[in-house]
Amino acid sequence: MTVPPGSTIGIIGGGQLGRMLSMAAARLGYKCHIFDPHEHPPAADVAALFTRAAYDDRAALERFAAQVDVATFEFVNLPVEPLTVLGDKLRPGTRSLAVAQDRASEKEFIERCGGRVAPWRTVECLEEVEAAVAEVGTPLVLKTRRYGYDGKGQAWIRSPDEARGAWEKIGAEPAVAEAGVNFVAEFSVIVARWEHGGRAFWDSPENEHGDGILRRSTVPCGDLVAAQLTEAREAALHVAEALGHVGVLTVEFFAGAEGPLVNEIAPRVHNSGHWTIEGSVTSQFEQHVRAICGLPPGATDLIGAGAVMDNLIGDEVNRWPELVADAGAHVHIYGKGEPSPGRKMGHVTRVESAQPVRGTGEH
Ligand code: AMP
């Protein structure tokens, strides 16, 4: 199915990812229609149409389905069943969402696809948390199976006596207990996949987190990560293929002595790929539009020698006067209004050297 320029792309979720998708789609001549329950979602400012409705509002989703030529999502914690009204118009499909929404099904799926994850157990009560501590050891991190993001819904257990406190901290909800990984670096594989199996990778960024939130992504990666990329890309591609995924998919990894271990899958464009807007020939956002609309892949080579992307979290966005005065900084502000602690308000990308250099992007 080719969806030609001039068509309307529906985007479920109106956050910054939907905003950057809309901007990339507009450049290719598409109109976007945002579906989001909030009053002023950041993506609606740059899109042609906006439906304000709850994600499980079937009647609103049916009207939306009739008004769009193809639909995608930028937010993963969506009720899956109501989305079935979109049928084949939804790209990627609901399978990608369902697997990534539950940390236990995600890990089982990754392992079935040949990817490796840190030792883990599902836990449903304090006794099971204590049993996981005894079997897996500490440090151990509890993560709620659903609705966790940016380090939310997580608690560390550094010694057995912390089990109860951690279980209470995550709200005594069904969770996974996962061994703490002694990683040297974190990185992601960002891959776009087309309906009939075409795929494109970008250079893999090394990612630095603080308090569970991405702070910085840097390309190209260092030698340790580079040595683990073949295995990591293979695992990411197996996941994308097994899901029948269409569009961009991101897999986050820990790089350490044991090789690449998968942390998690995001079945969508990702914060660690924001550098591609200025740092790569084709951005992750444009490529996602190309993949879901059945257009050919764009090149993913680096534009310069590399790029560094820094998130603007909370009131860091108030530094904008200094940032826009820096001629080498590409400043992105998401138009979210008042900053609050931990909220992603914008990002800044600096591309290193204007000399075109062939990176390890592949298409
Ligand atoms: P997540 O929300 O699962 O992506 O976790 C956010 C961040 O917490 C990760 O990017 C890591 O920096 C850290 N983290 C999560 N799980 C582990 C783990 N098993 N071992 C070490 N660090 C972790």
Side-chain angles (χ1 to χ4, degrees):
M1 172 173 79
T2 301
V3 180
S7 307
T8 300
I9 301 174
I11 303 178
I12 301 159
Q16 66 269 20
L17 301 176
R19 181 178 171 102
M20 290 183 271
L21 275 171
S22 297
M23 290 158 84
R27 209 177 65 166
L28 281 170
Y30 293 95
K31 291 180 177 42
C32 288
H33 185 157
I34 306 300
F35 190 104
D36 188 290
H38 298 96
E39 193 176 359
H40 294 298
D45 285 347
V46 300
L49 296 151
F50 168 42
T51 292
R52 183 182 182 196
Y55 290 129
D56 59 357
D57 182 338
R58 226 166 214 288
L61 279 167
E62 272 166 15
R63 283 193 299 276
F64 175 74
Q67 289 172 304
V68 302
D69 299 295
V70 62
T72 192
F73 50 82
E74 61 98 72
F75 176 64
V76 178
N77 288 321
L78 296 167
V80 171
E81 202 280 328
L83 295 177
T84 53
V85 304
L86 287 152
D88 287 348
K89 283 189 180 174
L90 187 68
R91 296 174 160 210
T94 50
R95 186 162 159 72
S96 295
L97 262 185
V99 166
Q101 277 181 351
D102 175 350
R103 289 192 188 268
S105 65
E106 182 184 29
K107 285 180 193 299
E108 280 163 6
F109 194 82
I110 294 162
E111 289 182 315
R112 277 207 304 279
C113 291
R116 294 189 283 146
V117 296
W120 66 285
R121 301 282 186 278
T122 53
V123 291
E124 303 221 330
C125 58
L126 179 59
E127 291 65 41
E128 288 181 4
V129 176
E130 287 165 347
V133 169
E135 288 166 27
V136 181
T138 54
L140 190 76
V141 57
L142 292 187
K143 301 180 178 178
T144 54
R145 285 176 66 158
R146 290 180 172 271
Y147 305 121
Y149 69 96
D150 285 349
K152 293 191 174 65
Q154 298 190 10
W156 281 86
I157 301 174
R158 299 195 185 278
S159 61
D161 59 317
E162 290 178 0
R164 176 183 291 275
W167 176 241
E168 285 168 3
K169 188 176 165 209
I170 62 157
E173 274 185 50
V176 294
E178 180 184 308
V181 177
N182 191 14
F183 60 81
V184 180
E186 290 186 81
F187 69 101
S188 40
V189 170
I190 311 167
V191 58
R193 184 177 177 275
W194 275 254
E195 189 181 5
H196 299 296
R199 82 281 187 289
F201 291 101
W202 284 263
D203 275 71
S204 272
E206 277 199 29
N207 303 323
E208 295 164 48
H209 294 81
D211 296 328
I213 305 178
L214 182 68
R215 303 284 339 182
R216 168 174 283 191
S217 291
T218 306
V219 286
C221 58
D223 292 344
L224 175 85
V225 170
Q228 302 195 356
L229 277 185
T230 304
E231 181 180 336
R233 281 184 174 181
E234 202 172 316
L237 194 58
H238 279 159
V239 166
E241 275 168 2
L243 290 172
H245 189 88
V246 176
V248 171
L249 175 130
T250 308
V251 184
E252 293 184 77
F253 288 89
F254 301 117
E258 313 101 293
L261 295 181
V262 176
N263 176 20
E264 62 180 354
I265 303 170
R268 53 163 171 76
V269 287
H270 193 257
N271 193 171
S272 66
H274 290 0
W275 64 271
T276 60
I277 297 175
E278 295 89 7
S280 169
V281 176
T282 308
S283 76
Q284 62 167 347
F285 300 101
E286 177 175 337
Q287 200 80 299
H288 185 73
V289 169
R290 284 171 173 263
I292 65 171
C293 292
L295 307 185
T300 51
D301 306 278
L302 293 178
I303 296 273
V308 180
M309 187 281 322
D310 287 301
N311 270 337
L312 299 173
I313 295 169
D315 57 15
E316 288 168 4
V317 72
N318 296 334
R319 288 174 50 216
W320 69 263
E322 159 211 336
L323 295 167
V324 294
D326 174 350
H330 297 281
V331 182
H332 296 250
I333 295 172
Y334 304 147
K336 291 184 171 177
E338 279 308 299
S340 55
R343 193 158 189 224
K344 291 174 178 170
M345 302 298 292
H347 74 266
V348 182
T349 299
R350 293 181 175 81
V351 176
E352 288 162 25
S353 150
Q355 294 300 315
V357 173
R358 210 171 169 81
T360 55
E362 196 191 286
H363 57 93

